[in-house]
Amino acid sequence: MTLFRKPIPIEEALIKLMQFPKQIEEEYIELTASAGRVLSRDVYASHPVPWFIRSPYDGYAVRASSTKEAGEHNPIWLELLGIVAAGDVWHGTLQEGQAVKIMTGGAVPDGANAVIMRELTKEEERDGKTFVQLKRKLKEGENISSVGEDIEEGTRLLTKGTYINAGVIALLATFGYEKVPVTRKPKVAIIATGSELLGTDEPLMPGKIRNSNGFMLYTQALRSGAEPISFGVVKDTFEQTLETVRAALKAADIVVTTGGVSVGDFDYIPAVYKELGAELLFNKIAMRPGSVTSAAVLGDQLLFGLSGNPSACYVGFELFTRPVIRTMLGMENVYLQKVEATLKQDVLKANPFTRFVRSKLSFEGGRLYVQPSGKDKSNIVSSLPGADCFMVLPGGTRGWQAGSMVEVVLIEGQDGMREWK
Amino acid sequence: MTLFRKPIPIEEALIKLMQFPKQIEEEYIELTASAGRVLSRDVYASHPVPWFIRSPYDGYAVRASSTKEAGEHNPIWLELLGIVAAGDVWHGTLQEGQAVKIMTGGAVPDGANAVIMRELTKEEERDGKTFVQLKRKLKEGENISSVGEDIEEGTRLLTKGTYINAGVIALLATFGYEKVPVTRKPKVAIIATGSELLGTDEPLMPGKIRNSNGFMLYTQALRSGAEPISFGVVKDTFEQTLETVRAALKAADIVVTTGGVSVGDFDYIPAVYKELGAELLFNKIAMRPGSVTSAAVLGDQLLFGLSGNPSACYVGFELFTRPVIRTMLGMENVYLQKVEATLKQDVLKANPFTRFVRSKLSFEGGRLYVQPSGKDKSNIVSSLPGADCFMVLPGGTRGWQAGSMVEVVLIEGQDGMREWK
């Protein structure tokens, strides 16, 4: 089967693609299971933080006005009424000349409006009473955490689409979220196609290689926030490919295949799309590697036909499948973050198309630097483990010299861009 | 109980601490479960990649010498003998004047030493035979992936201590790793101490707040590569704290408590260390927040007494507990990565101690910029969700102006430093 293939720019392919994905449904999960998930709703402060007047230190709660005569050479003594531990409440109102011992996090008693740190005081007993000595004046509000100082009631704390990290979890716990509303993970079916592919349990045989893309995509899908479902390896027959893609469409939200998408006699993905009645969105992108990256839509399901070459497959997933997954998760900045960096070494190979070179970012003297992470043929897998970014080299140039400023796409982080440009 | 507390520099605390942790035992896990884990052994190439001569394109395998007369205006015709699909092997040796159709990834037949891309050819049938037309000369080795081109046999592909990402998994799959040797995750017991702490299921009560540090530490432990075990909340009594720490020492490799470590009357962690016979390593660090961060050692187990203040707790874990976990995982660069960045806004608060300000990194024109991610009192939790780094502001200064270059510690990535300096 021969298909007309016109390479289109990445931007154009993304426009065609990104009209389809929509945020999927939410689910409630345990707080401890929510790290790495994505909030499906805004979170508001149901109470101020602190929600009562707290002491940030171990010390003594007093009225500031009781300390106005205190000084280095003029110690004053306040009568100690008792102690407030964290979690306790002092019943009664503090008067002039009185103090209450207070622990970090303790509720400051009514009447008190300042706290002196314990290290600056001493206690003494006289006539069956205890007194505390101060040698400095306190200002009203000194060493006191006021109500709402950290967070005012009603504040929008977190927006839907937020990636849940340790700080987000601390905030959710503060407001008593036992269960957290998150977007369900999009299910991504992964199918490795190719009669040359062996399972990891099979011995090497002439002409055969092991399936590595399937496992790689599985991990890329995990990192993007999806739930991968492996459909293993299918041989290059139209029937088997069709049958497996059909099963995958039933089980998953998105179907990703690797291989079978080029112009070879046994590349059945285009024919499978046609047989399914899927609308082809694109089948050739003006970029390297990954130029054969294809996508189609069937109802509300997207199908990605990625290259069988490991690096082309990797790039195709990150540039096209990942933003779809992030959109389904309800995230805002769905595109990989693009930054600028100084090229650390010459990259002199010319290419008519935009190239994505697997690279490693580094930092020096407040600047970003980038260099290729290894060999850069598209069938080469050895440069992937060390890559944390792609260097973007626009097409048509004669290569790039060390010291040039180039664009870099970051692939390991959770930050992103709202638009691809 | 009053303890002598002499603040020591971070470097000194790390030296005391880091003599104890050792790499723990390995285990074998499924390849698909290994993302985010750490290799416990070096991985070598058990065969070259490719391990046979492969075609990187759909096209025709030929002898280069058969094409020496071919040119744009001098098409030549080679007899087509058959086809090699990916995974197939051609039996026989290709002679001058002959061609074999070959698919991407197919084994190049004996006798052939070049491949012409399909797009540059056409086929024609004559007298019951098929011929393929070429209009250009091929060089020996052109469009051929030679044996070992990507990876030579015996190459050390990955070193023990490597964090397993999608690229690493692709490489492991290539070499048939069904099971992967990884270091067992260190078990980290997490105990939140404080009579003021409520569980997420309890309603707010006067003087009480919800436990957020326990959940935050749980997530920080996950991110650092550990297996967190939650021991919930304990009230501020010596007996309950002791009992829970004892249970935690039985269940985990490392015990982390939050709260109870300061000079308050109900801060029982120092007494618990003493009762257990644990050797105190430090109990005061010259830094803010987190100055009360403590650590002790009992046999081969480390105990961390982190502050009850959320931000101090967060910083204490990242600076001290994380490198211990990473060392137990057998990683090399166990310390958080430190880089330089330009300050985006004034941070004018002076402080006698080194400060770690929760901050957000950004990139512009090839440079790194940093700014605080929110309010910066140590009891404040609202600035944690947006933080991806700490700005390090050395003590004793009068504050910092926008445009100054400052050190920044990255907390979200997997990269790190071998030494803290």
Side-chain angles (χ1 to χ4, degrees):
Chain A
M1 151 174 265
T2 307
L3 266 172
F4 177 66
R5 295 187 181 231
K6 182 182 174 302
I8 60 171
I10 296 167
E11 292 70 17
E12 202 177 306
L14 283 172
I15 289 168
K16 282 171 183 273
L17 184 62
M18 294 302 282
Q19 59 186 306
F20 296 104
K22 300 280 174 283
Q23 181 172 356
I24 55 177
E25 76 276 8
E26 66 182 355
E27 59 186 1
Y28 280 76
I29 60 169
E30 294 289 332
L31 182 57
T32 46
S34 69
R37 300 294 296 269
V38 176
L39 279 179
S40 58
R41 305 176 168 239
D42 292 347
V43 170
Y44 292 86
S46 53
H47 58 75
V49 175
W51 73 281
F52 53 88
I53 305 172
R54 294 179 72 200
S55 173
Y57 301 113
D58 296 319
Y60 297 87
V62 301
R63 288 180 173 230
S65 50
S66 302
T67 70
K68 58 175 181 273
E69 306 296 333
E72 186 58 41
H73 303 291
N74 188 38
I76 62 156
W77 295 90
L78 303 177
E79 188 189 349
L80 187 61
L81 301 184
I83 183 164
V84 189
D88 274 0
V89 178
W90 177 259
H91 297 287
T93 302
L94 200 79
Q95 306 296 330
E96 288 293 339
Q98 297 179 333
V100 164
K101 193 170 185 180
I102 192 163
M103 301 293 111
T104 305
V108 173
D110 285 348
N113 57 19
V115 166
I116 184 154
M117 288 167 80
R118 180 184 180 146
E119 297 88 319
L120 303 175
T121 64
K122 65 174 182 185
E123 285 185 20
E124 211 170 277
E125 284 200 37
R126 269 182 269 147
D127 311 326
K129 289 183 173 176
T130 307
F131 293 86
V132 55
Q133 187 199 61
L134 280 74
K135 287 177 156 182
R136 67 183 286 281
K137 202 157 53 174
L138 295 175
K139 285 182 296 227
E140 203 179 311
E142 192 167 344
N143 293 332
I144 273 186
S145 299
S146 58
V147 170
E149 176 184 270
D150 190 359
I151 299 167
E152 285 175 47
E153 183 168 352
T155 306
R156 186 167 69 171
L157 301 165
L158 298 162
T159 51
K160 69 175 184 166
T162 295
Y163 177 82
I164 301 178
N165 64 18
V168 169
I169 284 186
L171 210 49
L172 292 169
T174 299
F175 290 96
Y177 280 80
E178 281 179 273
K179 300 265 186 175
V180 182
V182 297
T183 307
R184 173 174 67 74
K185 292 182 186 184
K187 289 180 184 167
V188 177
I190 292 161
I191 307 169
T193 76
S195 302
E196 77 278 25
L197 298 179
L198 298 167
T200 39
D201 56 337
E202 293 180 87
L204 283 185
M205 288 188 296
K208 311 270 188 194
I209 59 168
R210 292 208 182 86
N211 166 30
S212 60
N213 287 357
F215 293 98
M216 183 178 74
L217 286 169
Y218 189 97
T219 316
Q220 289 178 278
L222 277 178
R223 180 172 62 189
S224 72
E227 179 188 333
I229 305 174
S230 175
F231 279 78
V233 167
V234 300
K235 300 290 169 207
D236 289 321
T237 72
F238 174 75
E239 294 70 22
Q240 207 186 327
T241 308
L242 177 65
E243 191 185 311
T244 308
V245 171
R246 276 209 168 114
L249 282 164
K250 281 193 191 124
D253 299 295
I254 295 173
V255 176
V256 176
T257 53
T258 165
V261 77
S262 191
V263 296
D265 288 5
F266 307 101
D267 288 337
Y268 290 114
I269 295 297
V272 164
Y273 288 171
K274 201 175 171 194
E275 176 68 22
L276 290 167
E279 179 196 346
L280 188 70
L281 301 174
F282 51 81
N283 61 5
K284 188 107 183 164
I285 317 267
M287 68 174 198
R288 293 285 186 283
S291 64
V292 298
T293 305
S294 301
V297 62
L298 180 64
D300 60 355
Q301 288 179 289
L302 284 162
L303 300 99
F304 292 88
L306 305 181
S307 169
N309 279 329
S311 295
C313 176
Y314 190 96
V315 171
F317 183 93
E318 295 298 326
L319 289 190
F320 299 101
T321 315
R322 186 178 185 277
V324 164
I325 291 168
R326 310 285 269 190
T327 304
M328 295 174 80
L329 282 167
M331 300 181 91
E332 271 200 345
N333 302 319
V334 300
Y335 299 106
L336 290 168
Q337 196 182 8
K338 218 191 256 179
V339 302
E340 286 173 292
T342 304
L343 197 48
K344 244 191 161 168
Q345 65 185 63
D346 294 346
V347 179
L348 295 175
K349 187 179 155 197
N351 195 304
F353 297 103
T354 300
R355 286 174 65 210
F356 289 81
V357 182
R358 297 174 293 290
S359 300
K360 177 82 191 154
L361 205 64
S362 57
F363 307 102
E364 217 180 297
R367 302 189 63 86
L368 291 94
Y369 291 87
V370 67
Q371 62 187 326
S373 59
K375 300 172 181 179
D376 191 48
K377 292 202 175 181
S378 70
N379 56 335
I380 278 180
V381 81
S382 63
S383 59
L384 279 176
D388 56 15
C389 63
F390 305 129
M391 199 188 294
V392 189
L393 299 178
T397 58
R398 297 166 135 269
W400 297 78
Q401 311 275 345
S404 311
M405 190 77 89
V406 296
E407 284 193 320
V408 169
V409 175
L410 308 183
I411 56 179
E412 288 286 352
Q414 290 299 330
D415 281 344
M417 305 188 301
R418 194 187 285 256
E419 289 173 67
W420 180 267
K421 52 187 177 194
Chain B
M1 151 175 262
T2 308
L3 265 172
F4 178 66
R5 294 186 181 233
K6 182 183 174 302
I8 60 172
I10 296 168
E11 293 70 17
E12 204 178 304
L14 284 171
I15 289 169
K16 282 171 184 275
L17 184 62
M18 294 303 281
Q19 57 186 308
F20 296 104
K22 301 278 173 285
Q23 181 171 358
I24 55 178
E25 76 276 9
E26 66 182 357
E27 59 187 2
Y28 280 75
I29 59 169
E30 294 289 333
L31 183 57
T32 46
S34 70
R37 299 295 296 268
V38 177
L39 279 180
S40 57
R41 304 173 171 243
D42 292 348
V43 170
Y44 292 86
S46 53
H47 58 75
V49 176
W51 72 281
F52 54 86
I53 305 171
R54 294 179 72 199
S55 173
Y57 301 113
D58 296 318
Y60 296 87
V62 302
R63 290 182 172 227
S65 51
S66 301
T67 70
K68 59 176 182 270
E69 306 296 334
E72 187 57 40
H73 303 290
N74 187 37
I76 63 157
W77 294 91
L78 303 177
E79 186 187 353
L80 186 61
L81 299 185
I83 183 164
V84 189
D88 275 0
V89 178
W90 177 259
H91 297 285
T93 303
L94 199 81
Q95 305 297 331
E96 289 292 338
Q98 298 180 333
V100 164
K101 193 171 186 180
I102 192 163
M103 300 294 111
T104 305
V108 174
D110 286 347
N113 57 18
V115 167
I116 185 156
M117 288 167 81
R118 180 183 179 148
E119 296 89 318
L120 304 175
T121 63
K122 65 174 184 183
E123 284 186 20
E124 211 171 278
E125 285 201 36
R126 269 182 269 144
D127 311 327
K129 289 182 172 175
T130 307
F131 293 87
V132 56
Q133 187 199 62
L134 282 73
K135 286 177 158 183
R136 67 184 284 285
K137 200 156 57 171
L138 295 175
K139 285 182 296 228
E140 203 179 310
E142 193 166 346
N143 294 332
I144 272 186
S145 299
S146 58
V147 170
E149 176 184 270
D150 190 358
I151 299 167
E152 285 177 48
E153 182 168 352
T155 306
R156 187 167 68 171
L157 302 164
L158 298 162
T159 52
K160 68 176 185 168
T162 295
Y163 177 84
I164 301 178
N165 63 18
V168 169
I169 284 185
L171 210 49
L172 292 169
T174 300
F175 290 96
Y177 280 80
E178 281 180 272
K179 300 265 186 174
V180 182
V182 297
T183 307
R184 172 174 69 73
K185 292 184 187 182
K187 289 180 184 167
V188 177
I190 292 161
I191 306 170
T193 76
S195 301
E196 78 278 24
L197 299 179
L198 300 165
T200 39
D201 55 339
E202 293 180 86
L204 282 186
M205 287 187 297
K208 311 268 188 195
I209 58 169
R210 292 208 182 86
N211 166 31
S212 60
N213 287 358
F215 293 98
M216 183 178 76
L217 286 169
Y218 189 97
T219 317
Q220 288 178 278
L222 278 177
R223 179 173 62 188
S224 73
E227 178 189 333
I229 305 174
S230 175
F231 278 78
V233 167
V234 300
K235 300 293 169 207
D236 288 322
T237 73
F238 175 73
E239 294 70 22
Q240 206 184 331
T241 308
L242 178 65
E243 191 186 312
T244 310
V245 170
R246 275 210 171 113
L249 281 164
K250 281 195 192 122
D253 299 295
I254 294 173
V255 176
V256 177
T257 52
T258 166
V261 77
S262 192
V263 296
D265 289 3
F266 307 101
D267 287 338
Y268 289 114
I269 294 298
V272 164
Y273 288 171
K274 201 174 169 194
E275 176 69 21
L276 290 167
E279 180 196 345
L280 187 71
L281 301 174
F282 51 82
N283 62 5
K284 188 105 183 164
I285 318 266
M287 68 173 198
R288 293 285 186 282
S291 65
V292 298
T293 306
S294 303
V297 63
L298 180 64
D300 60 355
Q301 288 179 288
L302 285 162
L303 299 99
F304 292 89
L306 305 181
S307 169
N309 279 329
S311 294
C313 175
Y314 190 96
V315 170
F317 183 93
E318 294 298 326
L319 290 191
F320 298 101
T321 316
R322 185 179 187 276
V324 164
I325 292 167
R326 310 286 269 189
T327 304
M328 294 174 80
L329 282 166
M331 301 181 91
E332 271 199 346
N333 302 319
V334 299
Y335 299 105
L336 290 167
Q337 196 181 8
K338 217 191 257 178
V339 302
E340 286 174 291
T342 304
L343 197 49
K344 247 193 160 168
Q345 65 184 63
D346 294 346
V347 179
L348 296 177
K349 186 178 155 196
N351 195 305
F353 297 104
T354 300
R355 287 174 65 209
F356 289 81
V357 182
R358 297 175 293 290
S359 301
K360 178 81 191 156
L361 206 64
S362 58
F363 307 102
E364 216 180 296
R367 304 189 62 86
L368 291 93
Y369 291 88
V370 67
Q371 61 186 326
S373 58
K375 299 174 182 179
D376 190 48
K377 292 202 176 181
S378 69
N379 57 335
I380 279 180
V381 80
S382 64
S383 58
L384 279 175
D388 56 14
C389 62
F390 305 128
M391 199 187 294
V392 188
L393 299 179
T397 58
R398 298 167 133 270
W400 298 78
Q401 310 276 344
S404 310
M405 190 77 90
V406 295
E407 284 196 317
V408 169
V409 174
L410 309 183
I411 56 180
E412 288 286 353
Q414 291 300 330
D415 280 345
M417 305 187 301
R418 193 187 288 254
E419 289 173 67
W420 180 266
K421 53 187 177 193

